[in-house]
């Protein structure tokens, strides 16, 4: 960088600089995603067709663009426009393949979970559950009693995601014919006849869908209360305009230029860090549970 800046002129680079920044960010994102997939967290057969071919093509094109942008004399306006158009097309392709990959990983994760079929005859009193926001790599794992009501499950999700309950919510399960069976707020988890269903769906407002996966049975310790045991990534603030916009803000937050980072921080909130705080989520959940007991 020291050698580079000896002959660097911000004035001469004002047209190409932002393009180079975006190209470098896309190249980095492609490499990170490819490395993540090659760790073996998902069977390749579950991935969209030609996943690695598409990622390899984008990586090759972005690398070539970076070489074109390593110039002694600035490209003319026509060349810059052509580069921007090519970059926009690659970003669209990357966004589409990443969305397909995330969907495939969600399906793969669900297919590999042990699902316990509930119902009134179930002798197990506690369940481990996993909740994840559709379209995002944001998930939480918790243990709860089968005496937990749908309304209490809503409050657990709110605590785990750091939401404040400003929107309406509803739960449903999918019926064998592809329909939706909506659940009353007071029904208990242990009273739901899952009949082979693997999950509940939680609709929160019009922007957020949360999958609630019922996992293995759990033997609680004496006087144990519902709590989170694991999680990943900070949840989007509930006012954000859906998963796609949140992912854009995260990209700005993590790798954007200063103005983009400032914009993301304003929308995400001054306290947003991008990480899941397990202890904070459990403190919030405990306070909610205590407030409920005080009402009783």
């Amino acid at each position: 960088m020291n050698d580079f800046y000896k002959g660097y002129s911000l004035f001469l680079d004002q047209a190409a600089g932002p393009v180079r920044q975006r190209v470098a960010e896309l190249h980095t994102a492609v490499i990170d995603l490819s490395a993540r997939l090659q760790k073996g967290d998902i069977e390749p057969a579950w991935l969209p067709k030609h996943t690695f071919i598409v990622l390899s093509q984008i990586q090759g094109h972005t690398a070539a663009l970076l070489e074109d942008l390593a110039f002694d004399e600035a490209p003319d306006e026509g060349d810059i426009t052509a580069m921007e158009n090519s970059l926009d097309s690659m970003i669209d392709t990357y966004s589409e393949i990443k969305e397909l990959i995330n969907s495939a990983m969600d399906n793969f994760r669900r297919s590999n979970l042990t699902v316990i079929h509930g119902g009134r005859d179930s002798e197990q009193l506690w369940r481990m559950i996993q909740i994840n926001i559709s379209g995002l790599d944001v998930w939480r794992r918790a243990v709860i009693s089968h005496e937990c009501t749908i309304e209490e499950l809503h409050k657990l999700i709110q605590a785990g995601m750091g939401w404040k309950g400003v929107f309406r919510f509803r739960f449903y399960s999918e019926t064998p014919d592809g329909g939706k069976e909506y659940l009353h707020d007071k029904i208990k988890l242990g009273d739901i006849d899952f009949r082979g269903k693997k999950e509940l769906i939680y609709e929160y407002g019009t922007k957020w869908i949360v999958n609630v996966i019922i996992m293995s049975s759990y033997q609680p310790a004496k006087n144990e209360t519902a709590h989170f045991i694991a999680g990943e990534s900070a949840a989007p603030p509930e006012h954000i305009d859906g998963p796609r916009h949140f992912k854009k803000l995260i990209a700005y937050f993590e790798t954007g230029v200063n103005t983009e980072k400032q914009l993301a921080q304003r929308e995400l909130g001054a306290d947003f860090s991008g990480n899941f705080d397990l202890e904070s989520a459990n403190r919030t959940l405990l306070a909610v549970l205590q407030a409920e007991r005080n009402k009783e």
Side-chain angles (χ1 to χ4, degrees), residues 64-80:
L65 265 181
L66 286 173
E67 291 180 359
D68 292 340
L69 287 164
F71 51 77
D72 291 325
E73 294 184 6
D76 59 35
E77 185 176 346
D79 289 338
I80 293 293

Side-chain angles (χ1 to χ4, degrees), residues 33 61 64 146 151 163 282 284:
L33 179 56
H61 291 326
H146 80 168
E151 185 176 19
W163 292 340
N282 276 323
T284 301

Side-chain angles (χ1 to χ4, degrees), residues 13 28 39 118 186 218 220 261 268 274 277 281:
D13 200 35
T28 300
K39 288 180 180 178
K186 301 304 179 183
Y218 176 79
K261 288 184 177 182
L268 295 171
D277 187 335

Side-chain angles (χ1 to χ4, degrees), residues 41-266:
D41 294 337
I42 181 173
E43 293 289 342
W46 281 76
L47 293 172
K49 193 174 182 181
H50 306 314
T51 291
F52 286 105
I53 294 176
V54 173
L55 292 177
S56 177
Q57 289 173 339
I58 297 175
Q59 187 275 329
H61 291 326
T62 51
L65 265 181
L66 286 173
E67 291 180 359
D68 292 340
L69 287 164
F71 51 77
D72 291 325
E73 294 184 6
D76 59 35
E77 185 176 346
D79 289 338
I80 293 293
T81 300
M83 290 177 182
E84 287 183 319
N85 291 336
S86 175
L87 175 60
D88 289 340
S89 177
M90 287 189 287
I91 290 175
D92 288 342
T93 301
Y94 172 77
S95 298
E96 290 172 3
I97 193 71
K98 186 176 181 183
E99 190 167 326
L100 291 172
I101 290 169
N102 285 335
S103 177
M105 293 186 77
D106 283 345
N107 292 334
F108 179 76
R109 188 183 299 121
R110 287 197 292 270
S111 74
N112 282 276
L113 293 174
T114 301
V115 179
I116 300 299
H117 302 284
R120 293 180 182 277
D121 296 329
S122 175
E123 296 179 355
Q124 300 295 337
L125 298 180
W126 281 63
R127 296 284 185 264
M128 185 179 297
I129 65 168
Q130 180 164 301
I131 57 177
N132 59 277
I133 301 177
S134 181
L136 298 175
D137 293 327
V138 178
W139 60 270
R140 312 283 184 257
R141 192 165 292 178
V143 289
I144 60 173
S145 166
H146 80 168
E147 293 292 313
C148 174
T149 65
I150 288 297
E151 185 176 19
E152 291 167 344
L153 182 56
H154 153 70
K155 292 178 179 178
L156 179 140
I157 294 173
Q158 293 282 307
M161 300 304 174
W163 292 340
K164 305 300 182 183
V166 297
F167 301 123
R168 292 185 176 183
F169 74 93
R170 59 182 179 177
F171 284 87
Y172 69 85
S173 60
E174 294 182 350
T175 59
D177 61 1
K180 297 179 180 180
E181 181 180 339
Y182 290 97
L183 303 174
H184 191 275
D185 292 356
K186 301 304 179 183
I187 190 173
K188 296 178 180 179
L189 188 66
D191 289 336
I192 301 172
D193 184 3
F194 286 95
R195 292 174 295 176
K197 304 183 189 76
K198 296 183 178 182
E199 65 184 19
L200 302 177
I201 307 299
Y202 172 77
E203 291 181 347
Y204 181 54
T206 60
K207 306 296 183 183
W208 307 111
I209 300 293
V210 176
N211 303 305
V212 183
I213 305 168
I214 312 301
M215 300 172 66
S216 57
S217 59
Y218 176 79
Q219 184 63 46
K222 186 177 180 180
N223 298 324
E224 188 166 0
T225 59
H227 62 281
F228 296 100
I229 57 175
E232 183 175 346
S233 302
E238 50 206 313
H239 66 271
I240 297 297
D241 192 24
R244 185 181 293 273
H245 185 59
F246 179 65
K247 288 189 281 190
K248 178 181 178 181
L249 291 176
I250 288 296
Y252 286 169
F253 181 78
E254 294 178 345
T255 61
V257 297
N258 285 338
T259 54
E260 291 173 334
K261 288 184 177 182
Q262 291 171 3
L263 170 65
Q265 194 76 69
R266 282 197 299 271

